[in-house]
Amino acid sequence: MIGAIAGDIIGSVYEWNNIKTKEFPLFSPQCFFTDDTVLTVALADSILTGTSYVENLKQFFQWYPDRGYGNRFHHWASQANPQPYYSWGNGAAMRISPVGYAYDDLETVLTKAAEFTAVTHNHPEGIKGGQATAAAIFLGRMGQSKLEIKTYIESQFGYDLSRSVDDIRPTYAFTESSQETVPQAIRAWFEATDFEDAVRTAVSLGGDSDTLTCITGGIAQGFYGGVPTAIATQVYAHLDDRLARITRDFMAMVERQHGG
């Protein structure tokens, strides 16, 4: 999941200032963690502790109230008894990466991804985006090739992953929809040569940069077997003690259970 957090932090400064190039300072002085990181860590904590994800989403929202949440999630998290709001947005795919690392088989990954997504994003497109992201992470972690993963995602979820980054980039603009974010994030990973190149490629597409790059970063970590030490060090430097501790604890759990 640290790959997803890295993507969020690196992409944070380009969400409203798209750059459409891979040439940029990887960590600018203005980088920060957004709601993508907060809700990702909340899910990791739920997996670690067994705490209800609804309870954790509300708690982490209270701890970090000004991190760029969408209006519908902001309203949801403020309710005493929040109910799913049939969202097809990309806000579930951005936070789902821990599922791709925590479980031992694809069926469980898909089931858990749907479960954790549906607490808010219970629209079929929202659930599909969460499942596709978690599945890509899991399959990469299991050693499947890029082509095998691409073929599975296309056949299982109906995403068109044929358009190249160069084809997507010129007209790609900000969108909050899962169906217009997850395929583009996967394609950015598919064309990359390593973890850093995946993140740079995702940023270069433009759009909702922190979320797009968060999704790509999570998938790239699984496929490439980790995050470069220099990048991980920068990530932890941008987190507070609570978020850093939970992230380290989750990564240590994954290492103990699966060897990485």
Side-chain angles (χ1 to χ4, degrees):
M1 66 180 265
I2 192 172
I5 297 173
D8 174 45
I9 293 171
I10 292 166
S12 63
V13 295
Y14 301 111
E15 180 176 8
W16 305 114
N17 186 27
N18 291 170
I19 54 174
K20 301 289 185 174
T21 176
K22 296 202 289 186
E23 300 301 321
F24 58 89
L26 199 60
F27 288 92
S28 82
Q30 290 76 39
C31 283
F32 61 98
F33 67 84
T34 79
D35 57 323
D36 301 35
T37 289
V38 173
L39 303 185
T40 296
V41 177
L43 177 51
D45 187 72
S46 286
I47 293 171
L48 282 167
T49 67
T51 304
S52 158
Y53 192 35
V54 171
E55 179 182 333
N56 256 359
L57 286 173
K58 289 166 60 65
Q59 179 63 75
F60 278 70
F61 170 76
Q62 292 172 11
W63 282 333
Y64 305 96
D66 300 314
R67 289 288 164 173
Y69 306 94
N71 290 334
R72 296 180 74 188
F73 180 82
H74 195 286
H75 177 77
W76 179 91
S78 302
Q79 302 303 302
N81 183 30
Q83 299 299 311
Y85 47 90
Y86 204 59
S87 175
W88 39 255
N90 56 28
M94 76 185 188
R95 71 193 191 208
I96 205 66
S97 62
V99 170
Y101 294 97
Y103 301 105
D104 294 323
D105 62 272
L106 181 57
E107 182 178 355
T108 302
V109 167
L110 294 174
T111 299
K112 290 294 186 179
E115 174 187 326
F116 289 127
T117 296
V119 299
T120 53
H121 293 57
N122 58 333
H123 187 285
E125 290 292 345
I127 292 173
K128 183 167 77 170
Q131 287 184 314
T133 302
I137 292 169
F138 175 81
L139 293 173
R141 190 165 61 82
M142 292 295 103
Q144 291 208 14
S145 71
K146 285 190 174 185
L147 184 57
E148 287 172 328
I149 295 169
K150 176 178 177 288
T151 300
Y152 173 82
I153 296 298
E154 288 179 320
S155 63
Q156 181 71 18
F157 300 104
Y159 286 145
D160 178 7
L161 302 179
S162 65
R163 293 183 66 208
S164 71
V165 167
D166 286 343
D167 287 339
I168 296 167
R169 187 185 290 114
T171 59
Y172 189 64
F174 184 91
T175 175
E176 294 180 346
S177 77
S178 179
Q179 54 269 43
E180 293 295 332
T181 304
V182 174
Q184 290 77 9
I186 295 174
R187 184 70 200 196
W189 155 78
F190 182 77
E191 292 192 25
T193 57
D194 56 25
F195 179 86
E196 181 175 335
D197 189 51
V199 170
R200 290 185 179 278
T201 302
V203 168
S204 79
L205 284 174
D208 189 359
S209 290
D210 59 332
T211 295
L212 181 75
T213 310
C214 179
I215 295 168
T216 299
I219 297 170
Q221 178 193 343
F223 184 79
Y224 292 111
V227 172
T229 300
I231 293 177
T233 299
Q234 286 273 23
V235 169
Y236 284 119
H238 281 81
L239 301 179
D240 68 8
D241 289 345
R242 177 191 292 118
L243 298 177
R245 174 183 54 79
I246 295 169
T247 300
R248 287 191 173 98
D249 288 349
F250 183 84
M251 296 304 300
M253 181 201 75
V254 171
E255 179 68 28
R256 288 194 303 272
Q257 290 184 349
H258 309 302

